[in-house]
Amino acid sequence: MFSPQHKLTIEELYLPGQTANNNYICENFIVYPQDKEKYGGFIFGIVEIKATLKEEGEKIIQALVNTVKEKYYQQILSSPQPQRLNLETILEYALQKANEVLLEMAQIGYITWHKENINFIIAVAKPDIKNHETNLYFTHHGQINALLTHKASRGGYKAINI
C-alpha cells in the first residue's frame, strides 16, 4: 500500500511525575489507512489534557480521535475520486465535527473540561509515491511543542519545531 520510504513514528516525552498525576493525561496516536482510505493518508497526533481528571481526559481523547478518524475517512470513502480531494478541507471538517461532539458531551454532562486545559497537534501525512515525498497538514491548539524530524536534501536529518 505505502512504500517503505514512507515510515511514520511518534516518540513520546513525558515530564517526570506528570504521568502519576491524576489530573494529567498525554497520549499520542497513529491511524493507519486501509484500502480506499489510503488516499487520505495517515492521521496522527498528540493530545495533552491538564487540570482534568484522568478519566475525563481519556473520554475526551477517545471522542476526539474517534470522531476525527470517522469523519475524515468517511469523506474519503464516499468520494468517487478520492485522489482529487483537498485533504486540508477534509481535516478541517473532521475537526469541526469533533469540536461539536465534545461540546455536546459537555452540555449533557458526560464530560467536564475547559478548553484552555487541552493542548494538541493533529496532522495528516499523505505519502506521494510518485515523487517519494510526504505532504503534511497540521492543526494545533494550546501550548504544545512537537518536533518534526525529516531527511534533509543533503543527507542527514533535520528537526523543525512545529
Side-chain angles (χ1 to χ4, degrees), residues 15 28 30 57 83 86 97 116 140 143:
L15 298 173
N28 61 41
I30 301 175
Q83 65 276 15
N86 182 324
K97 291 300 180 184
E116 61 274 3
H140 71 87
Q143 298 176 348

Side-chain angles (χ1 to χ4, degrees), residues 6-152:
H6 294 104
K7 294 181 182 176
L8 178 64
T9 61
I10 295 178
E11 298 296 330
E12 298 178 68
L13 175 65
Y14 288 106
L15 298 173
Q18 289 291 334
T19 56
N21 188 334
N22 195 37
N23 293 325
Y24 176 86
I25 186 169
C26 184
E27 291 186 10
N28 61 41
F29 65 92
I30 301 175
V31 180
Y32 294 100
Q34 300 175 18
D35 303 321
K36 193 176 175 183
E37 291 175 348
K38 70 182 179 182
Y39 294 107
F42 300 88
I43 301 172
F44 65 100
I46 186 165
V47 182
E48 175 190 54
I49 302 176
K50 305 180 290 184
T52 304
L53 290 176
K54 194 175 271 192
E55 296 79 23
E56 295 287 310
E58 288 170 350
K59 291 179 197 176
I60 293 166
I61 291 171
Q62 182 179 18
L64 178 64
V65 173
N66 289 344
T67 304
V68 168
K69 175 186 171 186
E70 176 189 335
K71 298 301 181 184
Y72 181 80
Y73 286 123
Q74 184 179 60
Q75 297 296 306
I76 305 295
L77 294 172
S78 65
S79 173
Q81 294 184 319
Q83 65 276 15
R84 295 183 180 235
L85 294 173
N86 182 324
L87 300 184
E88 186 176 1
T89 302
I90 294 171
L91 178 60
E92 185 177 317
Y93 168 80
L95 291 164
Q96 288 172 350
K97 291 300 180 184
N99 189 45
E100 291 172 12
V101 166
L102 291 174
L103 288 174
E104 183 179 315
M105 290 171 66
Q107 287 173 345
I108 64 172
Y110 185 67
I111 59 171
T112 304
W113 67 296
H114 298 283
K115 186 176 169 181
E116 61 274 3
N117 292 339
I118 186 169
N119 301 299
F120 64 79
I121 292 177
I122 296 177
V124 170
K126 173 64 171 75
D128 185 335
I129 295 173
K130 290 180 187 174
N131 62 17
H132 301 291
E133 293 182 0
T134 301
N135 298 314
L136 296 171
Y137 307 92
F138 289 91
T139 187
H140 71 87
H141 173 76
Q143 298 176 348
I144 190 164
N145 290 315
L147 296 175
L148 172 66
T149 306
H150 65 92
K151 207 170 207 179

